[in-house]
Amino acid sequence: MQNTPVSSLVGEEYEVEVGPVAHGGHCIARTEAGRVLFVRHALPGERVVARVTEGEETSRFLRADAVTILDPSKDRVEAPCPFAGPGKCGGCDWQHAKPGAQRRLKGEVIAEQLLRLAGLTPEEAGWDGTVMPAEGDKLPQGEVPQWRTRVQYAIDADGNAGLRKHRSHEVEVIDHCMIAAPGVSELGVEKQDWPNMASVEAIAASGSNDRQVILTPKPGGRLPLVELDKPVSVLRVDEKDGGVHRVHGRAFVRERADDRTYRVGNGGFWQVHPKAAQTLMLAVMQGLTPRKGETALDLYCGVGLFAGAIADRVGDQGAVLGIESGKRAVEDARHNLAAFPRVRIEQGKVESVLPRTGITEVDLIVLDPPRAGAGKQTVHHLAGLGARRIAYVACDPAALARDLAYFADRGYKVRTLRAFDLFPMTHHVECVAILEPVKKDA
């Protein structure tokens, strides 16, 4: 019996009315036949011609690009970047929207996810519905915040640096990334040839003048001689074990937050926006209000940003346990927090390490999980520790909303929620939710 071939709809065009924004940097539209389209490069309320980029006759939905704008939104602007637009670089989702409109769209996505996945209105989440720009990011129209202190360049077959197209391995070769921080741009990665390289990550610390490139060779590829426009440390990714190894210069960069220097080694995690670490640290501390002598958990603690801030505030009689899965990040956290004898950092996955600690109660918890969230098992464990306040730092509103629902099941409600636009021009947004136990009726 022969299978009937599935007919691809890639390249088909539909004239559609664009509906609401959705999580992921696109808007929802429907064809006259009722087929759902996820349309990039569009804005709510516009009438556009949408060209299908992914999908078949049997697909539940189709992905598409708005290739002709028939009736533009008042929030539409000409994309400042020449590499933004249908079929081009996939790094920025909202170059075609005014900055204020971008923040409104992100706010609408957060509100929709909270309601759909956690059953919370903005009022019930203690949120005023706004997404706050980072300090210094409000610029005249046409100017773009240069915020990205880490840029991962993909290298094409000819050794040219660029960025990947949306949901593709294809490389859009560029000569400049508009959202790259000045410290990244001044390295001149885009002007160099990178033979035998798969990718080049450029890092410009915002807390120091440290600059770093991390080279990932193609299988069997030899490292090129790196001659960039500014002094830079060079690291390479080992093709066998995936580890990052120093070639020359420092194996780490130095960052600053809360009047403290943090060492971040081997391209480890640090917030990408120069103002992000300080902004999020303050939001967490203001929400938790640590007191002298309290005990705290810092989960998914990275190099110790929140653990250090809490330790400073709970004093010598307090105690902080950080848990982090990355071996190098744990080494850095222990180095960064060596001045606090009552801070302990454990290595391993939170869901494995936390039960082994034997901790049965704690005053404060901060968690900054990866994009997938903490998950039901971990949330239920945390809710059983009786913390008076929990700070949840989230880079994905869907994961946040799911975990807030799990916390609600175990007696924790959201006290306040704040949202920050720490990824301008993209659909990404950062949230800080402060939770506390529901007061039981006497």
Side-chain angles (χ1 to χ4, degrees), residues 335-410:
H335 168 87
N336 294 333
L337 305 178
F340 299 106
R342 286 175 62 82
V343 172
R344 190 167 100 247
I345 308 294
E346 296 287 344
Q347 186 196 345
K349 292 185 179 297
V350 168
E351 61 269 25
S352 302
V353 174
L354 189 57
R356 294 203 307 263
T357 64
I359 293 173
T360 56
E361 59 182 355
V362 70
D363 296 307
L364 303 171
I365 299 170
V366 57
L367 63 158
D368 185 4
R371 193 164 297 282
K376 182 189 265 187
Q377 177 187 341
T378 296
V379 166
H380 285 182
H381 188 133
L382 296 178
L385 299 179
R388 69 171 180 85
R389 288 216 179 146
I390 298 172
Y392 190 126
V393 183
C395 61
D396 184 276
L400 170 65
R402 282 193 296 271
D403 284 348
L404 291 182
Y406 298 144
F407 272 114
D409 289 343
R410 294 303 173 99

Side-chain angles (χ1 to χ4, degrees), residues 178-260:
M178 289 189 78
I179 63 172
V184 169
S185 297
E186 69 186 9
L187 292 176
V189 171
E190 303 98 332
K191 294 187 288 186
Q192 305 296 317
D193 290 327
W194 299 98
N196 303 315
M197 293 297 106
S199 70
V200 176
E201 183 177 11
I203 299 172
S206 52
S208 66
N209 289 322
D210 294 344
R211 305 288 180 260
Q212 195 175 77
V213 293
I214 303 175
L215 308 178
T216 303
K218 292 176 180 173
R222 295 179 57 188
L223 288 188
L225 182 64
V226 178
E227 293 184 340
L228 294 171
D229 294 349
K230 294 285 181 179
V232 64
S233 298
V234 178
L235 287 74
R236 68 164 291 164
V237 176
D238 189 281
E239 67 178 87
K240 290 179 183 158
D241 63 12
V244 180
H245 306 284
R246 184 177 70 89
V247 178
H248 71 73
R250 284 196 184 98
F252 59 86
V253 297
R254 293 162 297 177
E255 297 285 5
R256 292 280 295 173
D258 201 29
D259 295 325
R260 186 174 295 107

